[in-house]
């Protein structure tokens, strides 16, 4: 069975499961079954011929497996975190979203990929809308429109690919020297989901407005599924290497100046995915391995950070740093887990970020890409400054001795268990990186724990911490809005609405008036003519034929006298007539 089938079936049955009080058990069992099932998948399955297309729903290799592994593991953690949510719609949307991601990961052709790609976009939109606030509804519409645009660009590339290849839509690696317009359109469609600037602003616009549990799922799947398809199809493209390094710096620069906790984390998704995109663009075996390993690690520690920020929002109703502080005694477990996520994303030794991020930086050095190496290293400094120090400090301390929300407390047990599993994985991968390295697609000998690397990392982290201590007053959060490139489509939507309610509306009214005065009259005249033809032509022929058949039947009935001698005589005359015809001919 395709792993996505389990989540689709569970999503469709969720309303009844909630009524039957089986929700919690199913929320744990189905993700666990999917997590175990991926070890039993054959290399190829689900081949379907449909309308002339050869669709492959299951293609499994090492690259596929590592993403299936972390996606199903994240489904377990996310579903456990969401156990207290009674709104079945959120669970349905989350599981359809997971199913779409698994479908994309296993797809062996572009048509199958596109179907699951759009399922992801639609399902994840509801995770924003289910927060049921005005800003969330507006952000959800913007998110959906942006992803519909990305889907159309992807579909245009698929159409051109179908035409150029004579109908072959197999999803395979594209060499930079062989890439054409179709391939670049497909890559742009993938890049939009990866939040590559300048088509990234949908992410910090939408993720902070999602539900508490919805944001945990969203931080794990959309961008990392995009990383998977880029690693599958476009390794070695120079544009990805450059844009990825720009992403790493761009995201961290905004995160440093942000005030909202979940917007800080959203911008850090842009930054951390930049490392992955850059590694794919470098294209060497170690760089691609680093991108894949960092995707695996990032899903876990970013989910942990979103769970920590979400727990604070759930228990206090606040997410802005200037409104928080002094919660260290009220929410100690949430503090510990969030700090673990912060040090993991910062690349502390013995955490998952240290063993994954460093592989990409080392690959940039091996490829003699000094500029990229410096940009990625600088982004690492900003990461520790904004998420490793600033975020937990201003939420739990912030110079306040009294809690900003006196009634705050640690979240429910299911949330803490989910955070605990993610925190454990952050340390497990740091202590035992071979567990992750064995799953990577290429065989590369890389040792993260060298004296040079440890010394370099500790120096960077130490000086960054010293800088925060010296500049803590200047880095304090301020209640302000930071403009990003989403300004253009926000203002563009206003211009569109003015155009739609002005000139376009008047044109629509004019067309309607023309139809009412001319088009409707011609329509009625045509209808009357067709009615006359039906009545006087078709009905006349049909009714006349029927009347003829009835008259002939009446005459034949009159010929039946009921006397046997008449029938014998008629038969003799008929036989005599036939004999004459035969003789004459």
């Amino acid at each position: 069975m395709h792993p996505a089938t389990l989540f689709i079936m569970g999503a469709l049955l969720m309303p009844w499961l909630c009524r039957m009080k089986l929700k919690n058990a199913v929320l744990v069992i189905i993700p666990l079954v999917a997590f175990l099932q991926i070890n039993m998948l054959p290399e190829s399955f689900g081949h379907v011929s449909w309308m002339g297309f050869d669709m492959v729903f299951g293609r499994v290799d090492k690259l596929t497996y590592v993403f299936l592994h972390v996606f199903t593991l994240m489904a377990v953690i996310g579903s456990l975190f969401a156990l207290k949510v009674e709104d079945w719609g959120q669970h349905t949307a989350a599981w359809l979203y997971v199913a779409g991601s698994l479908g994309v990961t296993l797809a062996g052709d572009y048509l199958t990929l596109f179907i699951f790609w759009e399922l992801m976009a639609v399902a994840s939109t509801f995770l924003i809308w289910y927060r049921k606030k005005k800003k969330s509804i507006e952000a959800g519409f913007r998110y959906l429109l942006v992803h519909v645009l990305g889907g159309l660009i992807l579909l245009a590339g698929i159409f051109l690919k179908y035409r150029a290849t004579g109908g072959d839509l197999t999803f395979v690696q594209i060499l930079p020297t062989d890439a054409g317009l179709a391939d670049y359109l497909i890559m742009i469609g993938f890049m939009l989901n990866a939040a590559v600037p300048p088509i990234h602003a949908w992410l910090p616009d939408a993720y902070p407005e999602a539900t508490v549990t919805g944001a945990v799922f969203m931080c794990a799947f959309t961008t990392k599924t995009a990383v998977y398809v880029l690693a599958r199809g476009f390794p070695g493209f120079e544009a990805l290497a450059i844009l990825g390094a720009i992403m790493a710096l761009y995201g961290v620069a905004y995160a440093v100046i942000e005030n909202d906790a979940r917007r800080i984390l959203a911008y850090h998704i842009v930054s951390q995915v930049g490392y992955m995109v850059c590694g794919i663009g470098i294209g060497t075996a170690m760089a691609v391995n680093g991108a894949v390993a960092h995707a695996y690690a990032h899903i876990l520690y970013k989910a942990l950070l979103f769970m920590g920020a979400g727990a604070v929002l759930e228990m206090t109703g606040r997410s802005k740093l200037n409104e928080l502080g002094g919660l260290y005694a009220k929410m100690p477990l949430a503090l510990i887990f969030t700090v673990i996520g912060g040090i993991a994303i910062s690349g502390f030794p013995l955490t998952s970020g240290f063993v994954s991020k460093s592989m990409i930086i080392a690959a940039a050095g091996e490829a003699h890409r000094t500029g990229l190496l410096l940009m990625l290293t600088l982004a690492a400094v900003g990461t520790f400054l904004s998420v490793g120090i600033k975020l937990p400090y201003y939420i739990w301390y912030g110079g306040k001795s009294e809690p900003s929300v006196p009634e705050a407390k640690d979240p429910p047990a299911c949330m803490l268990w989910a955070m605990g599993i993610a925190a454990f994985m952050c340390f497990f991968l740091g202590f035992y990186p071979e567990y992750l390295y064995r799953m990577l697609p290429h065989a590369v000998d890389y040792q993260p724990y060298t004296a040079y690397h440890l010394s370099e990392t500790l120096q960077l982290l130490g000086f960054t911490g010293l800088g925060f201590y010296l500049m803590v007053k200047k880095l304090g959060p301020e209640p302000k809005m930071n403009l990003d490139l989403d300004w253009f489509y926000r203002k563009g939507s206003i211009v569109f609405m003015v155009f739609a309610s002005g000139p376009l509306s008047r044109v629509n009214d004019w067309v309607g008036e023309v139809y009412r005065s001319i088009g409707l009259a011609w329509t009625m005249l045509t209808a009357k003519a067709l009615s006359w033809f039906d009545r006087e032509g078709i009905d006349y022929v049909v009714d006349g034929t029927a009347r003829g058949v009835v008259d002939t039947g009446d005459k034949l009935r009159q010929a039946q006298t009921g006397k046997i001698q008449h029938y014998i005589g008629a038969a003799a005359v008929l036989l005599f007539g036939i004999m004459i015809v035969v003789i004459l001919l």
Side-chain angles (χ1 to χ4, degrees), residues 438-457:
R438 281 199 300 265
M439 289 190 283
L440 298 180
H442 303 291
V444 173
D445 182 21
Y446 174 71
Q447 297 297 329
Y449 290 103
T450 63
Y452 175 79
H453 184 209
L454 286 167
S455 173
E456 177 190 45
T457 300

Short mmCIF file of all heavy atoms in Angstrom, two decimals, residues 438-457:
data_model
loop_
_atom_site.label_atom_id
_atom_site.label_comp_id
_atom_site.label_asym_id
_atom_site.label_seq_id
_atom_site.Cartn_x
_atom_site.Cartn_y
_atom_site.Cartn_z
N ARG A 438 24.26 6.99 7.11
CA ARG A 438 24.03 5.72 6.39
C ARG A 438 22.84 5.82 5.45
O ARG A 438 22.76 5.06 4.48
CB ARG A 438 23.82 4.58 7.39
CG ARG A 438 25.09 4.03 8.00
CD ARG A 438 24.86 2.64 8.58
NE ARG A 438 23.84 2.66 9.62
CZ ARG A 438 24.09 2.77 10.93
NH1 ARG A 438 25.35 2.86 11.34
NH2 ARG A 438 23.13 2.77 11.81
N MET A 439 21.93 6.72 5.72
CA MET A 439 20.74 6.86 4.87
C MET A 439 20.98 7.76 3.65
O MET A 439 20.15 7.80 2.75
CB MET A 439 19.57 7.42 5.68
CG MET A 439 18.98 6.46 6.67
SD MET A 439 17.43 7.08 7.40
CE MET A 439 18.07 8.29 8.56
N LEU A 440 22.07 8.50 3.64
CA LEU A 440 22.28 9.51 2.60
C LEU A 440 22.48 8.87 1.24
O LEU A 440 22.96 7.73 1.13
CB LEU A 440 23.47 10.39 2.98
CG LEU A 440 23.30 11.18 4.29
CD1 LEU A 440 24.54 12.02 4.57
CD2 LEU A 440 22.06 12.07 4.24
N PRO A 441 22.17 9.59 0.16
CA PRO A 441 22.16 8.97 -1.18
C PRO A 441 23.53 8.63 -1.74
O PRO A 441 23.64 7.75 -2.59
CB PRO A 441 21.47 10.03 -2.05
CG PRO A 441 21.63 11.32 -1.31
CD PRO A 441 21.63 10.97 0.13
N HIS A 442 24.59 9.31 -1.28
CA HIS A 442 25.92 9.07 -1.85
C HIS A 442 26.87 8.57 -0.76
O HIS A 442 26.75 8.92 0.41
CB HIS A 442 26.50 10.34 -2.47
CG HIS A 442 25.63 10.93 -3.55
ND1 HIS A 442 25.43 10.33 -4.76
CD2 HIS A 442 24.87 12.07 -3.55
CE1 HIS A 442 24.62 11.07 -5.50
NE2 HIS A 442 24.26 12.13 -4.78
N ALA A 443 27.82 7.76 -1.17
CA ALA A 443 28.82 7.23 -0.25
C ALA A 443 29.97 8.23 -0.14
O ALA A 443 30.77 8.39 -1.06
CB ALA A 443 29.34 5.88 -0.74
N VAL A 444 30.03 8.95 0.96
CA VAL A 444 31.06 9.96 1.17
C VAL A 444 31.61 9.80 2.59
O VAL A 444 30.84 9.65 3.55
CB VAL A 444 30.49 11.39 0.98
CG1 VAL A 444 31.55 12.43 1.37
CG2 VAL A 444 30.04 11.60 -0.44
N ASP A 445 32.91 9.86 2.72
CA ASP A 445 33.55 9.76 4.02
C ASP A 445 33.70 11.17 4.60
O ASP A 445 34.52 11.96 4.14
CB ASP A 445 34.91 9.08 3.88
CG ASP A 445 35.60 8.89 5.24
OD1 ASP A 445 34.88 8.90 6.26
OD2 ASP A 445 36.83 8.74 5.27
N TYR A 446 32.88 11.48 5.60
CA TYR A 446 32.93 12.81 6.22
C TYR A 446 32.91 12.65 7.74
O TYR A 446 32.06 11.93 8.29
CB TYR A 446 31.76 13.67 5.77
CG TYR A 446 31.68 14.99 6.50
CD1 TYR A 446 32.61 15.99 6.25
CD2 TYR A 446 30.70 15.22 7.47
CE1 TYR A 446 32.55 17.21 6.92
CE2 TYR A 446 30.64 16.42 8.15
CZ TYR A 446 31.58 17.41 7.88
OH TYR A 446 31.55 18.60 8.55
N GLN A 447 33.84 13.32 8.41
CA GLN A 447 33.94 13.26 9.86
C GLN A 447 33.71 14.67 10.42
O GLN A 447 34.55 15.56 10.24
CB GLN A 447 35.32 12.75 10.29
CG GLN A 447 35.63 11.33 9.85
CD GLN A 447 34.70 10.32 10.46
OE1 GLN A 447 34.21 10.51 11.58
NE2 GLN A 447 34.44 9.23 9.73
N PRO A 448 32.58 14.92 11.08
CA PRO A 448 32.31 16.27 11.57
C PRO A 448 33.14 16.64 12.80
O PRO A 448 33.46 17.82 13.00
CB PRO A 448 30.81 16.23 11.91
CG PRO A 448 30.54 14.79 12.21
CD PRO A 448 31.45 13.99 11.32
N TYR A 449 33.49 15.65 13.61
CA TYR A 449 34.17 15.95 14.87
C TYR A 449 35.68 15.94 14.70
O TYR A 449 36.39 15.04 15.15
CB TYR A 449 33.72 14.97 15.95
CG TYR A 449 32.30 15.19 16.38
CD1 TYR A 449 31.29 14.34 15.94
CD2 TYR A 449 31.95 16.26 17.20
CE1 TYR A 449 29.96 14.55 16.33
CE2 TYR A 449 30.64 16.47 17.58
CZ TYR A 449 29.65 15.62 17.14
OH TYR A 449 28.35 15.83 17.52
N THR A 450 36.17 16.98 14.03
CA THR A 450 37.62 17.20 13.93
C THR A 450 38.00 18.36 14.83
O THR A 450 37.16 19.21 15.16
CB THR A 450 38.02 17.51 12.48
OG1 THR A 450 37.40 18.74 12.07
CG2 THR A 450 37.61 16.38 11.54
N ALA A 451 39.25 18.40 15.22
CA ALA A 451 39.70 19.46 16.13
C ALA A 451 39.51 20.84 15.50
O ALA A 451 39.09 21.79 16.17
CB ALA A 451 41.18 19.24 16.48
N TYR A 452 39.78 20.94 14.19
CA TYR A 452 39.64 22.23 13.51
C TYR A 452 38.19 22.68 13.51
O TYR A 452 37.87 23.84 13.82
CB TYR A 452 40.17 22.13 12.08
CG TYR A 452 39.94 23.39 11.27
CD1 TYR A 452 40.78 24.49 11.42
CD2 TYR A 452 38.88 23.48 10.37
CE1 TYR A 452 40.56 25.65 10.70
CE2 TYR A 452 38.65 24.62 9.66
CZ TYR A 452 39.50 25.71 9.81
OH TYR A 452 39.28 26.86 9.09
N HIS A 453 37.30 21.77 13.15
CA HIS A 453 35.89 22.14 13.06
C HIS A 453 35.32 22.49 14.43
O HIS A 453 34.57 23.46 14.58
CB HIS A 453 35.09 20.98 12.45
CG HIS A 453 33.65 21.29 12.23
ND1 HIS A 453 32.66 20.34 12.25
CD2 HIS A 453 33.01 22.47 12.01
CE1 HIS A 453 31.50 20.91 12.04
NE2 HIS A 453 31.68 22.20 11.89
N LEU A 454 35.68 21.72 15.47
CA LEU A 454 35.22 22.04 16.81
C LEU A 454 35.73 23.40 17.28
O LEU A 454 34.98 24.20 17.84
CB LEU A 454 35.67 20.95 17.78
CG LEU A 454 34.93 19.61 17.71
CD1 LEU A 454 35.67 18.54 18.49
CD2 LEU A 454 33.51 19.76 18.23
N SER A 455 37.01 23.66 17.03
CA SER A 455 37.59 24.93 17.44
C SER A 455 36.92 26.10 16.72
O SER A 455 36.56 27.12 17.34
CB SER A 455 39.09 24.91 17.16
OG SER A 455 39.66 26.18 17.41
N GLU A 456 36.74 25.96 15.42
CA GLU A 456 36.10 27.02 14.62
C GLU A 456 34.69 27.29 15.11
O GLU A 456 34.28 28.46 15.30
CB GLU A 456 36.09 26.60 13.16
CG GLU A 456 35.40 27.60 12.24
CD GLU A 456 35.21 27.03 10.85
OE1 GLU A 456 34.78 25.85 10.73
OE2 GLU A 456 35.48 27.75 9.88
N THR A 457 33.91 26.23 15.34
CA THR A 457 32.52 26.39 15.75
C THR A 457 32.43 27.06 17.11
O THR A 457 31.63 28.00 17.32
CB THR A 457 31.82 25.02 15.79
OG1 THR A 457 31.87 24.43 14.48
CG2 THR A 457 30.38 25.15 16.23
#
